[in-house]
């Protein structure tokens, strides 16, 4: 090992990283906007390209540094021992990142909830994914949690979601009349869908109160919180 070998390795590897960033930028700015490819598919394709170019660049950097293939195999064997002791979680998250790119249980723009964190997916990275929470903060969630944990994707197939308002009434109040009034009030909110339209359900008596719920649907979950407030006030 010489200084020239080390410099050759880092120069080639940095060039490969730069190429992967340029290719991803070119695709995001020039190719995807002119095609009909969805945002999720575009993100997955870009991620796979990034991983592939980076991996090929790593191998070329090894060869450029004069490392023989047999020594590379020995190095990976030693790396396997290191993984067993200290890099297990890192490699696990890396593999989970590849699974996320292939299976696509989430994609950029999805609204998800995992481990008590809820927000919009902004980026799916090599080790962790970035989720923008409703308070504006960004949380990096390890990819392992997205694969092995309980993941709720509120926009996986579509963005249509149901809102509900729960009402608790004294037993002497006419529940049927309140249900009709609730449905009538819900129909005054223009953001609620007409088909399916608002409806109500009587849940029975709980703790000495009549419990009923009025439901309405929105065609975009992102406006659900704002419409939900109007729904409750109405």
């Amino acid at each position: 090992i010489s200084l020239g070998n080390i410099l050759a390795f880092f120069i080639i590897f940095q060039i490969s990283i730069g190429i992967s960033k340029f290719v991803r930028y070119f695709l995001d700015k020039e190719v995807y906007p002119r095609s009909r490819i969805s945002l999720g598919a575009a993100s997955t394709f870009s991620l796979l390209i990034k991983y592939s170019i980076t991996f090929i660049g790593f191998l070329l950097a090894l060869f450029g540094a004069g490392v023989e293939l047999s020594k590379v195999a020995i190095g990976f064997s030693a790396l396997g021992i290191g993984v067993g002791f200290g890099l297990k979680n890192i490699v696990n998250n890396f593999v989970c990142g590849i699974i996320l790119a292939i299976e696509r249980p989430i994609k950029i723009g999805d609204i998800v909830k995992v481990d008590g964190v809820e927000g919009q997916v902004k980026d799916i990275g090599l080790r962790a994914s970035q989720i923008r929470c409703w308070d504006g903060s960004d949380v990096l969630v390890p990819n392992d949690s997205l694969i092995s944990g309980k993941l709720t994707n509120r926009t996986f197939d579509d963005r249509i979601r149901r809102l509900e308002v729960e009402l608790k009434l004294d037993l002497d109040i006419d529940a049927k009349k309140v249900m009709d009034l609730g449905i009538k009030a819900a129909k005054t909110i223009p953001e609620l869908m007409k088909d399916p339209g608002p409806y109500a359900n009587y849940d029975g008596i709980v703790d000495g109160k009549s419990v009923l719920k009025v439901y309405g649907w929105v065609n975009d979950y992102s406006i659900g919180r704002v419409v939900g407030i109007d729904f409750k006030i109405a």
Side-chain angles (χ1 to χ4, degrees), residues 44-198:
T44 300
F45 186 63
S46 296
L47 197 63
L48 291 175
I49 289 179
K50 175 184 176 181
Y51 289 167
S52 299
I53 294 178
T54 303
F55 180 71
I56 293 174
F58 176 73
L59 294 179
L60 292 176
L62 290 177
F63 295 143
V67 179
E68 298 177 3
L69 186 60
S70 59
K71 294 181 179 179
V72 173
I74 296 174
F76 278 118
S77 299
L79 179 63
I81 298 175
V83 168
F85 284 102
L87 302 178
K88 180 180 179 180
N89 290 335
I90 296 177
V91 174
N92 185 34
N93 286 318
F94 173 77
V95 174
C96 288
I98 296 177
I99 295 175
L100 287 175
I102 296 176
E103 292 189 354
R104 294 177 58 197
I106 63 171
K107 56 186 180 296
I108 293 178
D110 280 350
I111 297 175
V112 301
K113 181 178 181 180
V114 58
D115 290 342
V117 177
E118 182 174 1
Q120 187 175 37
V121 179
K122 288 297 183 181
D123 185 47
I124 301 175
L126 190 67
R127 185 192 65 83
S129 297
Q130 177 186 353
I131 297 179
R132 173 68 58 85
C133 298
W134 304 127
D135 61 358
S137 60
D138 292 309
V139 178
L140 295 178
V141 179
N143 290 331
D144 174 56
S145 298
L146 298 173
I147 293 296
S148 59
K150 183 178 180 180
L151 171 66
T152 301
N153 189 337
R154 303 191 187 278
T155 54
F156 180 75
D157 189 45
D158 57 49
R159 303 184 72 86
I160 298 176
R161 286 298 176 270
R162 188 184 71 179
L163 307 178
E164 70 174 50
V165 176
E166 182 181 81
L167 302 175
K168 295 182 179 180
L169 314 174
D170 291 334
L171 297 180
D172 59 346
I173 296 179
D174 188 344
K176 181 64 171 62
K177 184 176 181 179
V178 175
M179 290 171 64
D180 293 338
L181 289 173
I183 295 174
K184 183 179 180 180
K187 290 182 177 180
T188 64
I189 302 175
E191 292 84 1
L192 290 181
M193 297 174 60
K194 308 301 181 184
D195 185 20

